[in-house]
Amino acid sequence: MTGRRLSPLLASVTAAAAGASLLTGCGVLPGATGGSREPVTVMTWAPDQTRATNMPGMPAMAQAYARWVNAQGGIDGHELRVLTCNEQNTPSGAAGCARRAVHEGAVAVVGSYSQNGRAFMAPLEAAGIPYIGGYGITEDEFTSPLSYPVNGGVASLVAGHGMQLAESCRKVSLVRPDTLAGDQLTKLLDAGLKRASKRGAVDIPAVEDATEYTAQAARAKERAGSDGGCVAAVLGERTQTFFDSFRRLPDSPDGARATGDGGGDAKDPKAARGVRISSVLGSVGQPLIDRTGGARSPFEGAYVTGWYPEADDRSWAPMRKVIQEQAFADNRVDPTDAGVQTTWIAYTVLRQVVESLHTDRITAARVSDALDRGARVDTGGLTPPLRWMYEDLLGASDFPRIVNRQVTFQIVRKGRLVAQKPGFVDVGATVGAAG
């Protein structure tokens, strides 16, 4: 993290006054109202350089946020110190990051990604450290009383995806990880499909870190059928690998694109019979579409369910400004990446909670107490207003701590993820029905 930046006003302070400040050790951050406020230490972790899903943009966004907010005087006069940790996609790695957060006095873990919820939540709970705005990939993020999610997690995405596909698909094949977490995805997708009186999806489990998926792709295509069928894949970073295998199947180049509703040419009988493809944010996103050819990407026309507004929505302008100022040369920080976006929202929560406390010393207990007592966070339209009191919780058996029940329906048009329909869609009842 870079050092603090002095504003032009403070730079003009006399040398004598500056010397006195250095001698007493009571320096004031630029923009602070006076007095001495303790730094606020938090941690952001994510896997990096592993064989499964990697999220290096999340810690990088956290560091950029810290540079930006400290250049403005910190959060209510507190310097923000961000610790980062590679949790390595392993239980021991996640637990190690959590123990380090405890050891180094973090008052919260913010905007992080890990599939190892049980491993990291136990140390945090023992130390009373809140987990704010995790990616939403594990059950523990929606059951622990010290977790404060900013989205509805993968559960809301997959349940909403079922609702999105029900409008356009006669049959659906779902390719998902052959894991305990993956087992729940079928129930969630089926809950969305059945809200429109559609049959459940064909469940096709697959190894999460495979190097090819030819057998699963062939089965998914066959079971979806070519007459209005859809193949949905939710495999994290391996989703691209799956669709690479899918489009290499015989006769797949034409059928591997989604069709209708702005995708392929709905007037082309051959295209209309093609198998549509789809996924959810995190498995397919703008960075992947860009890497695979933009408008010529095999994802052109694909249906995608997301948590937040499309990446070009003006609500993201403040985040883009911070990235431009503080992380322009860091290619890990992509403003269209769901992990980066979630981290921005999570730090927005942290900032508003710390400002609401307006005290010289911030502790983990004070942060979690403020959240439990009804701190309300405005994310500038990126989510509904967020609050974590009892009456705000969804209360679904498997996901009781969901407070943001909204998703967005998107589609890939001319190489860009854009809104398929405006605004948010409430999936709370659908997630509840899957429990």
Side-chain angles (χ1 to χ4, degrees):
M1 188 170 67
T2 60
R4 304 177 205 148
R5 301 182 179 183
L6 293 177
S7 68
L9 177 60
L10 287 181
S12 66
V13 174
T14 63
S21 175
L22 290 171
L23 289 171
T24 60
C26 297
V28 180
L29 281 167
T33 57
S36 177
R37 293 201 157 173
E38 294 185 3
V40 171
T41 300
V42 299
M43 176 176 278
T44 298
W45 62 55
D48 190 15
Q49 298 181 346
T50 72
R51 292 185 61 192
T53 299
N54 296 296
M55 287 283 177
M58 299 181 78
M61 179 72 242
Q63 291 171 322
Y65 189 96
R67 290 192 293 269
W68 170 70
V69 80
N70 288 337
Q72 300 182 76
I75 303 177
D76 196 33
H78 297 272
E79 178 190 5
L80 177 62
R81 295 179 177 173
V82 172
L83 310 173
T84 63
C85 190
N86 181 358
E87 65 86 65
Q88 302 172 349
N89 261 325
T90 65
S92 60
C97 288
R99 288 193 296 268
R100 182 182 160 209
V102 174
H103 178 72
E104 301 204 28
V107 303
V109 173
V110 186
S112 296
Y113 181 103
S114 176
Q115 299 186 50
N116 302 290
R118 293 183 182 179
F120 70 72
M121 280 308 310
L124 296 185
E125 288 176 345
I129 297 175
Y131 188 71
I132 300 174
Y135 191 81
I137 197 74
T138 70
E139 178 182 341
D140 300 78
E141 295 174 63
F142 299 101
T143 56
S144 171
L146 278 171
S147 179
Y148 303 88
V150 299
N151 58 48
V154 174
S156 68
L157 290 181
V158 177
H161 199 52
M163 295 170 63
Q164 184 180 20
L165 296 185
E167 299 176 359
S168 305
C169 307
R170 292 184 68 249
K171 297 180 182 178
V172 177
S173 294
L174 172 65
V175 184
R176 50 81 175 179
D178 189 8
T179 62
L180 290 175
D183 291 344
Q184 284 196 317
L185 301 185
T186 306
K187 292 193 304 179
L188 290 159
L189 189 80
D190 286 352
L193 291 169
K194 290 174 182 177
R195 282 185 66 83
S197 301
K198 294 294 182 74
R199 71 179 72 181
V202 177
D203 182 27
I204 303 177
V207 177
E208 190 175 21
D209 60 354
T211 56
E212 61 87 26
Y213 293 96
T214 303
Q216 293 86 352
R219 184 179 174 217
K221 181 184 177 185
E222 177 187 1
R223 297 299 299 274
S226 59
D227 185 12
C230 294
V231 172
V234 183
L235 292 167
E237 282 196 355
R238 296 301 184 189
T239 302
Q240 177 182 355
T241 305
F242 170 80
F243 282 121
D244 282 343
S245 297
F246 182 82
R247 65 192 180 96
R248 289 189 176 96
L249 295 174
D251 302 322
S252 281
D254 294 317
R257 293 174 180 266
T259 61
D261 198 9
D265 185 355
K267 296 180 181 180
D268 179 353
K270 186 176 181 181
R273 293 195 301 271
V275 180
R276 301 170 179 177
I277 65 173
S278 70
S279 190
V280 299
L281 201 68
S283 288
V284 171
Q286 192 61 53
L288 174 57
I289 296 164
D290 293 340
R291 289 198 308 270
T292 55
R296 296 185 178 183
S297 166
F299 297 101
E300 180 68 17
Y303 298 126
V304 179
T305 304
W307 292 305
Y308 314 125
E310 59 189 270
D312 293 332
D313 190 279
R314 62 184 180 182
S315 300
W316 293 111
M319 181 191 72
R320 288 181 175 276
K321 185 174 184 292
V322 170
I323 294 173
Q324 179 74 20
E325 293 177 357
Q326 300 294 340
F328 178 75
D330 191 341
N331 59 14
R332 295 173 300 170
V333 186
D334 188 330
T336 67
D337 178 75
V340 169
Q341 293 173 345
T342 300
T343 302
W344 169 262
I345 294 171
Y347 274 89
T348 299
V349 173
L350 176 74
R351 183 180 189 181
Q352 293 187 29
V353 169
V354 170
E355 289 174 342
S356 74
L357 292 172
H358 199 63
T359 183
D360 289 347
R361 183 168 183 263
I362 304 297
T363 65
R366 285 175 174 171
V367 172
S368 57
D369 186 61
L371 290 163
D372 292 339
R373 289 179 177 272
R376 188 178 181 88
V377 176
D378 180 358
T379 63
L382 299 174
T383 69
L386 299 174
R387 195 178 66 164
W388 293 267
M389 294 189 72
Y390 178 79
E391 57 265 33
D392 303 304
L393 304 180
L394 176 62
S397 57
D398 292 329
F399 312 98
R401 289 191 65 79
I402 288 179
V403 296
N404 178 2
R405 310 166 192 191
Q406 309 293 324
V407 299
T408 56
F409 291 169
Q410 301 178 30
I411 190 168
V412 183
R413 288 195 178 110
K414 298 180 180 179
R416 301 296 298 175
L417 266 173
V418 298
Q420 182 190 11
K421 63 190 321 182
F424 292 98
V425 178
D426 192 323
V427 298
T430 307
V431 173

